[in-house]
Amino acid sequence: MLQIMEGSHAVAEAAKLCRPEVVSAYPITPQTHIVERLADFVADGELDAEYICVESELSALSVCLGSSATGSRVYSATSSQGLMLMAEVVFNVAGMRQPIVMSIANRALGAPLSIWNDQQDSISLRDAGWFHLYGEDVQEMTDQHFIAYKAAEQHDVLLPGFVCFDGFILSHTYEPVDIPTQEEIDAFLPPYVPYNKLDAKAPLSMGMYATPDYYMEFRYETDAALQRAGDAISAAGKEFGEMFGRDYSTHTESYRMDDADVAFVALGSICGTVKDAIDEMRADGIKAGLVKIRTLRPFPAEEIAKALAGVPTVAVLEKNISLGSAMKGAVGPEVKDAVTGTGIDVYSYIVGLGGRDIRKKDIRGIAALAEKGKGNMFYGLRTEVL
């Protein structure tokens, strides 16, 4: 049913419909509204789950890890410094192959302190073994929670997943969103059946010490599972589309890419602004297009190469900074690698850090720079304060 709803509350509704048996989280701006609403659901009897209050984000994800290991479906949410405090456990969850789903309300990292949005937090943990989904609007980020659980719990995957969305821009925005019924989600997402679990009647060990003779094989298996997660996400996205009319079977989405001379690559809410800017540029005779990345991990290199085929110039809009790197952003080098040997010029542009506005005229300005071969730079710096 279509409802006008705050983004955070839509995420909480999605989490509730997935029937987690354990929820544990620690409040942090701009994620707090999600877990407040879930706490209300549990207190009011609308969600039959254990809501476990903890003293920090490290404890929250540790609770989720232990609960998942016993065979429970679990949920958490965090942001920014909270995710960094979880970092040790983030790697353990993937290494122990627990299919936890966690919402990330993307926010900048300190110092300096900022409560505003960029994507530095989740992208800093892109190599931890979780799959990464990024939503453009409230509907997409809501739907991605259902798909994340469906993919994560496949027995040939058994990996955790981040569902990422821009803090405040989406978490605190009211939009029309179609919330499925419990019966519909029950039909899409059956109860979690663990491949194995901690059980006193059938003892086993998890997360054991690995000597140099075995450690590399664990990492190989995790990487192989993450590659398989791509197929599981596609399959779940296709099934979701057949049931609800919103197809997420692809990891990317192209917008006005036919005959494009310059293509933008981006992820998250910025894609809406880019589409509006492209419409204006097209009206002025500038052939621009967009490839939106919906799944950052596993990286959809083949889809991106196909979408960018024949485009002379690519501008990657980065709401992150890989400090000290040649291209400056974290996504640009992977896009460049995907089109190696094609002659396509790929440039990164650092934009919107710490919540700075990205306007349509900025998108147009970046297109002009890319077509002149100028890139791998910050865009929109206040040079008077440097």
Side-chain angles (χ1 to χ4, degrees):
M1 182 174 68
L2 202 62
Q3 304 175 52
I4 304 294
M5 188 174 293
E6 182 186 300
S8 292
H9 293 167
V11 169
E13 290 281 350
K16 182 187 72 172
L17 290 170
C18 292
R19 296 188 185 275
E21 295 162 283
V22 176
V23 176
S24 189
Y26 192 80
I28 181 171
T29 302
Q31 158 264 33
T32 305
H33 289 187
I34 301 171
V35 294
E36 282 181 340
R37 182 57 63 98
L38 280 167
D40 287 343
F41 289 149
V42 174
D44 294 342
E46 296 183 44
L47 173 61
D48 183 15
E50 292 290 334
Y51 190 104
I52 301 177
C53 296
V54 290
E55 76 283 8
S56 72
E57 286 87 352
L58 176 68
S59 298
L61 192 56
S62 297
V63 165
C64 290
L65 173 57
S67 301
S68 181
T70 64
S72 299
R73 179 177 287 165
V74 303
Y75 172 81
S76 191
T78 192
S79 180
S80 186
Q81 314 297 144
L83 180 59
M84 294 301 104
L85 190 55
M86 289 178 172
E88 176 185 354
V89 191
V90 166
F91 280 81
N92 284 336
V93 170
M96 293 172 65
R97 306 291 297 274
Q98 298 302 318
I100 295 170
V101 171
M102 183 158 63
S103 305
I104 308 295
N106 285 123
R107 173 185 141 181
L109 292 174
L113 176 65
S114 170
I115 64 168
W116 306 107
N117 164 252
D118 61 39
Q119 296 164 343
Q120 188 71 55
D121 49 3
S122 56
I123 287 182
S124 294
L125 291 179
R126 66 190 182 280
D127 297 329
W130 295 51
F131 62 78
H132 286 218
L133 306 180
Y134 284 80
E136 177 186 347
D137 52 34
V138 173
Q139 185 69 70
E140 187 171 59
M141 72 195 207
T142 300
D143 293 342
Q144 285 173 331
H145 287 78
F146 310 124
I147 293 166
Y149 273 112
K150 182 93 171 185
E153 295 175 355
Q154 299 300 310
H155 283 185
D156 64 344
V157 176
L158 290 177
L159 282 177
F162 288 162
V163 179
C164 307
F165 45 90
D166 290 328
F168 289 116
I169 298 171
L170 293 179
S171 65
H172 286 57
T173 292
Y174 280 73
E175 289 184 353
V177 55
D178 182 16
I179 301 293
T181 66
Q182 186 65 69
E183 292 73 21
E184 289 172 331
I185 292 303
D186 287 346
F188 175 76
L189 181 67
Y192 172 42
V193 178
Y195 181 77
N196 55 34
K197 63 179 181 180
L198 295 178
D199 185 343
K201 297 179 180 177
L204 56 81
S205 296
M206 295 184 182
M208 297 297 289
Y209 180 83
T211 67
D213 290 334
Y214 297 100
Y215 182 87
M216 279 184 59
E217 284 70 21
F218 276 94
R219 304 306 281 171
Y220 172 85
E221 292 283 5
T222 303
D223 178 66
L226 192 51
Q227 297 300 331
R228 293 193 295 271
D231 292 337
I233 293 165
S234 291
K238 181 180 180 181
E239 182 181 348
F240 189 88
E242 292 169 351
M243 292 183 66
F244 300 100
R246 297 183 292 278
D247 189 295
Y248 300 104
S249 59
T250 58
H251 303 297
T252 63
E253 180 182 297
S254 295
Y255 182 77
R256 304 195 73 170
M257 283 296 294
D258 293 342
D259 76 351
D261 291 327
V262 57
F264 298 97
V265 175
L267 50 158
S269 64
I270 189 177
C271 292
T273 305
V274 175
K275 290 174 183 175
D276 287 344
I278 287 171
D279 289 344
E280 292 185 359
M281 285 190 282
R282 287 270 178 175
D284 293 339
I286 301 171
K287 297 179 179 178
L290 166 70
V291 176
K292 179 178 83 174
I293 296 177
R294 186 181 287 133
T295 305
L296 184 66
R297 280 288 181 279
F299 191 74
E302 290 186 11
E303 273 192 34
I304 287 175
K306 183 177 180 181
L308 295 176
V311 178
T313 306
V314 174
V316 183
L317 306 178
E318 310 257 20
K319 295 176 79 172
N320 70 86
I321 172 70
S322 180
L323 294 165
S325 72
M327 290 189 70
K328 309 223 178 279
V331 181
E334 299 202 55
V335 174
K336 189 170 185 176
D337 179 65
V339 299
T340 295
T342 63
I344 300 173
D345 293 323
V346 180
Y347 305 104
S348 280
Y349 299 87
I350 308 302
V351 295
L353 299 187
R356 184 167 299 185
D357 286 340
I358 305 165
R359 300 155 296 185
K360 289 185 287 187
K361 68 178 184 180
D362 298 323
I363 306 302
R364 184 184 286 259
I366 289 171
L369 285 172
E371 291 194 306
K372 293 176 182 175
K374 296 180 179 179
N376 302 334
M377 58 192 288
F378 286 76
Y379 182 84
L381 287 175
R382 296 182 58 196
T383 55
E384 73 275 15
V385 299
L386 296 176

